[in-house]
Amino acid sequence: FDADGSGRRVAGDGSRGGEGDGAPSALGQLADPRAVSVGADGTIWIADTGNRRLRYVTPRGRLGTALANLKAVDVVATPGGGPLYVLDADGNQVVRLGPAPRFDGEDLVGVSGLDVAAAFGPDHEPVALGVSAAGDLYVADRARRVVARIDAGVGVTVAGNGTARAAGDGTDADNAALY
């Protein structure tokens, strides 16, 4: 969407499917896209949940698949061009693609590997990601009713005490209840 509120389709032709890699992005198909993040180079990263893929639109407008066989439900590009984080609901984990994925023409570069940034047990339900300007990764955990910062693969609670209610405004964030 532009500043005046007008918008245009940048990915997907409106039909549900998984075709179109390599084609102009508006002619390709998506299935249940859940999240979008824009990289420092202008790449649009798409959590294409229904297709079990991490898709992208290159700065030149081509659709492609970066990762397959994961239920991508959220994706966050690091400010300034660092790693890309993908929330994989099937694996109950956050994977990191890096060190700095970007496009040089139509070639994906800056990717030397994919690793697990955080893994969660069965009593967790990570549902959303965020990355600070400093590059810190945050995860919203619906089942535990907390927001955690990931330090060396371990979650450190920064908000929420696990109580299912909305209370605690004006108190320390880790003492507040989140619904």
Side-chain angles (χ1 to χ4, degrees), residues 55-83:
R55 309 285 292 277
Y56 58 79
V57 176
T58 69
R60 293 185 178 180
R62 297 288 178 184
L63 183 65
T65 297
L67 300 172
N69 299 318
L70 77 162
K71 188 174 181 183
V73 296
D74 200 0
V75 58
V76 177
T78 303

Side-chain angles (χ1 to χ4, degrees), residues 35-101:
V36 176
S37 188
V38 180
D41 68 340
T43 299
I44 301 168
W45 298 96
I46 304 165
D48 191 2
T49 306
N51 281 318
R52 301 180 42 76
R53 298 181 196 166
L54 174 65
R55 309 285 292 277
Y56 58 79
V57 176
T58 69
R60 293 185 178 180
R62 297 288 178 184
L63 183 65
T65 297
L67 300 172
N69 299 318
L70 77 162
K71 188 174 181 183
V73 296
D74 200 0
V75 58
V76 177
T78 303
L84 184 78
Y85 295 96
V86 181
L87 179 55
D88 172 17
D90 282 346
N92 214 23
Q93 62 187 356
V94 177
V95 295
R96 177 178 34 236
L97 183 65

Side-chain angles (χ1 to χ4, degrees), residues 86-136:
V86 181
L87 179 55
D88 172 17
D90 282 346
N92 214 23
Q93 62 187 356
V94 177
V95 295
R96 177 178 34 236
L97 183 65
R102 63 193 181 287
F103 280 85
D104 182 4
E106 295 300 318
D107 297 323
L108 178 60
V109 298
V111 177
S112 62
L114 177 70
D115 64 341
V116 176
F120 301 92
D123 61 331
H124 295 260
E125 186 184 357
V127 294
L129 302 175
V131 177
S132 72
D136 295 321

